Structure formats: C-alpha cells, structure tokens
Amino acid sequence: MNNYRFSGHETFTCKQFWLKKGFDFLQGNERRFNDESAVVELGVGKNMVSSIAYWLKSFGIVNDAFQPTEIGNYIFGEQGRDPYMEDIATVWLLHYFLVKTEYASVYSLFFNEFKRERIDFNRDHLHSFLKRKCFEVSDSLYNENTITSDVSTFLRNYIISSDLRKAKKIELDDEFSGLLYELNLISLYKLEIVGGKQMEMYKAENKNREELPYELVLFAILDRFPNEPSISFRELEVNANSVGMVFALTKEGLYAKLEEIVKHYDKQVVLSDTAGIQVLQFKQPINKWEVLDRYYGE
C-alpha cells in the first residue's frame, strides 16, 4: 500500500441495511450518489449518503466506478444469497473483504500489523500507530483530527461504547446497528486513568472462533492464495490478509478449521506434515464460489 485513506465515512459507522440500500440504489438507470435525488431515495441526510458510498467501496461491494463486484452481486444481487445479512457468516465475509480491499486503510493496518505489536490497547496507542504509518509515506498525510475520527469510527464498528454499557441503553439506530460488533473481534475490557483522564482499554486477542464456519475459512484461503497447490500453515497463520490474521485465529483454532475443511473435502484437500512443516495441499482445484454455495445452500 503506497498511500492510506482515513476519511470518507463522515464519522458514521456502517449501519445494518446501508450496504443493501446503497447497492439497490445503484441498480437504477445511471443513478449516482451525488444526484440530488439520492437523499430522498435513500431516506438519509446528505452526509449519510456520502458515508453509504464510502462503505460500499470499503467492503468491496462496488469498485471505484460504483459497479457491482463479484461479492457484491453474490450477497446483494438479484440472486443474492443473503441480502438482509441474516446469517452471521455474511458478516464474517464482509469483514474479510473490508480488511482485504484496503479502501479504508485502518482495517487492514489494524488486523495485519497493529495486532502484531499489541493485544491490549487504547485509542492513543492506535492513533500513534496510524500517525507513524502516515509519516512513513508522507509528512503531509497525517491529520490529527482525521485520524482521531477514523479511530473512533473503527472502534464503534466493532464494539459498543462504555457509555452505552453503563447506561444499559442502546439506540438501535445508532451504535448497536453497526455491522461488525457481533464478531467479537475487539472488546472493551476495562477503564483506567491515563494522564488524569479516564481511558477505555480494548483487547483484540486471537481466539479459536468455533462460531466461524469452516466454509468461510476455505473461501478466504482460496481467495487469498488463488491457484496455489500447497500453502504452509505459517502462511495461513501470519501472511497479510491470511485467515489467521483477518479472522484473529489462534494456532489451535486455525488448525481445527483446517481439519474441518479436510474432513468435508477429503477427496480434494490434504493436511500434511513433512519434516515438521504443516502444509495444506489441494489435490484438485476447488471453486471458491461453490464453497460459499455449499454453505448457503445448507
């Protein structure tokens, strides 16, 4: 990545039905998000229209020209498998594409790099990391307010704020309607005093993730390593955008997913151990979309 993007969301998290709303809106004849009619047709404010457009690109649902991508059509198209995102697997799938697409830089940077440095963190830790990444590219890329806003939006996509927890009151149309909190990838675990002010501390630890369907893991492997006859366990665990990194899997959790894959695709996939090196081998090609069809069909 030669440059980074930390703005465009207008401080809004991605709401539950925004991706479908935005996808459906674009199916009209030459509709554009900067059309005056977009506010009326989408039923949201002007800033929210811009945010919807941003999230469609960020999740890889449309390309830069706002044309539907394969995954966009697969989920939300006429024959879309889960247009209302009722299955948690779809949320995992969207998270994978959010990280992989790299349109919204913080998601890729967090799951591929920041998590390697620390599991426990606060907003200042993440802000400082992003500041450092900006200066590695260009001194002019860093803007304090932009990064602060991006950190806040990022965290609100994955967790419920402490204020809402304390109040035990959740506005369904605001914080709780974000897409990704169900994945439990980041958690708020304590409040501590830093420099005289109360600071939220977060945890982003790897887990076994029994709730993550093995089909989603296989799809992501095939998508990340296309046409590779063999992939080492290490590559699956720590390579950029690999399943171990994106889904925050422990070694044990990743190995369990691979065992599930082999169990259900025993004629096509083998998990071997040669001289202490574990390798996932494909005896026959597997179509990644057919893997998803198998999951959604069942």
Side-chain angles (χ1 to χ4, degrees), residues 88-130:
I88 190 65
T90 306
V91 183
W92 280 112
L93 196 58
L94 288 168
H95 164 75
Y96 168 73
F97 276 92
L98 177 62
V99 175
K100 168 205 163 176
T101 301
E102 298 184 358
Y103 184 85
S105 301
V106 64
Y107 299 86
S108 175
L109 289 170
F110 182 88
F111 286 97
N112 284 310
E113 297 187 40
F114 181 75
K115 274 182 80 276
R116 294 177 190 262
E117 296 184 7
R118 59 190 314 141
I119 295 171
D120 296 24
F121 67 99
N122 60 37
R123 290 170 187 250
D124 288 348
H125 295 141
L126 182 53
H127 188 119
S128 296
F129 166 79
L130 295 175

Side-chain angles (χ1 to χ4, degrees), residues 233 250-260 271 278:
F233 184 89
T250 61
K251 286 186 178 182
E252 296 77 16
L254 175 56
Y255 194 83
K257 298 301 178 190
L258 299 183
E259 287 186 314
E260 277 192 271
L271 187 58
Q278 296 167 326

Side-chain angles (χ1 to χ4, degrees), residues 20-46:
K20 176 171 171 48
K21 261 189 178 183
F23 185 91
D24 290 349
F25 172 78
L26 291 173
Q27 303 318 298
N29 291 331
E30 298 183 5
R31 282 176 169 172
R32 298 178 182 176
F33 286 109
N34 56 6
D35 292 345
E36 289 184 14
S37 61
V39 171
V40 176
E41 292 195 44
L42 289 168
V44 297
K46 189 174 181 181

Side-chain angles (χ1 to χ4, degrees), residues 24-270:
D24 290 349
F25 172 78
L26 291 173
Q27 303 318 298
N29 291 331
E30 298 183 5
R31 282 176 169 172
R32 298 178 182 176
F33 286 109
N34 56 6
D35 292 345
E36 289 184 14
S37 61
V39 171
V40 176
E41 292 195 44
L42 289 168
V44 297
K46 189 174 181 181
N47 285 357
M48 285 188 178
V49 171
S50 298
S51 187
I52 290 172
Y54 168 87
W55 288 119
L56 282 171
K57 287 186 178 181
S58 297
F59 281 99
I61 303 305
V62 299
N63 60 21
D64 285 340
F66 286 105
Q67 297 166 327
T69 59
E70 276 190 289
I71 192 61
N73 274 321
Y74 189 88
I75 298 173
F76 301 106
E78 285 187 19
Q79 304 297 320
R81 301 308 193 278
D82 189 19
Y84 295 99
M85 294 170 287
E86 297 169 300
D87 195 315
I88 190 65
T90 306
V91 183
W92 280 112
L93 196 58
L94 288 168
H95 164 75
Y96 168 73
F97 276 92
L98 177 62
V99 175
K100 168 205 163 176
T101 301
E102 298 184 358
Y103 184 85
S105 301
V106 64
Y107 299 86
S108 175
L109 289 170
F110 182 88
F111 286 97
N112 284 310
E113 297 187 40
F114 181 75
K115 274 182 80 276
R116 294 177 190 262
E117 296 184 7
R118 59 190 314 141
I119 295 171
D120 296 24
F121 67 99
N122 60 37
R123 290 170 187 250
D124 288 348
H125 295 141
L126 182 53
H127 188 119
S128 296
F129 166 79
L130 295 175
K131 179 179 180 179
R132 187 175 81 235
K133 298 304 292 186
C134 286
F135 278 106
E136 286 176 5
V137 176
S138 168
D139 291 356
S140 62
L141 184 59
Y142 173 71
N143 179 284
E144 182 177 359
N145 291 335
T146 300
I147 297 296
T148 297
S149 172
D150 206 46
V151 168
S152 175
T153 303
F154 167 80
L155 290 170
R156 287 186 295 119
N157 263 324
Y158 286 100
I159 63 171
I160 305 165
S161 76
S162 60
D163 291 338
L164 288 173
R165 289 172 187 271
K166 285 185 289 186
K168 295 184 179 178
K169 180 182 177 183
I170 295 163
E171 293 292 336
L172 290 176
D173 197 37
D174 186 24
E175 302 287 341
F176 211 61
S177 58
L179 286 181
L180 305 168
Y181 70 91
E182 292 179 272
L183 303 182
N184 197 28
L185 285 163
I186 303 173
S187 60
L188 170 66
Y189 77 102
K190 70 176 180 179
L191 300 172
E192 64 178 32
I193 304 300
V194 179
K197 65 177 181 178
Q198 184 171 273
M199 183 76 74
E200 294 178 338
M201 292 298 296
Y202 308 98
K203 191 183 292 286
E205 58 187 334
N206 290 353
K207 297 181 180 179
N208 291 345
R209 307 208 182 276
E210 290 86 354
E211 73 281 6
L212 172 63
Y214 74 86
E215 294 96 336
L216 265 289
V217 175
L218 178 55
F219 172 88
I221 290 171
L222 294 169
D223 183 73
R224 172 64 180 82
F225 300 95
N227 305 315
E228 290 287 337
S230 63
I231 311 157
S232 72
F233 184 89
R234 182 70 176 165
E235 289 175 299
L236 295 171
E237 182 190 11
V238 301
N239 272 28
N241 294 332
S242 63
V243 291
M245 301 300 289
V246 175
F247 297 135
L249 286 162
T250 61
K251 286 186 178 182
E252 296 77 16
L254 175 56
Y255 194 83
K257 298 301 178 190
L258 299 183
E259 287 186 314
E260 277 192 271
I261 290 168
V262 171
K263 176 183 175 182
H264 290 92
Y265 287 86
D266 59 315
K267 291 182 172 60
Q268 295 154 290
V269 187
V270 173

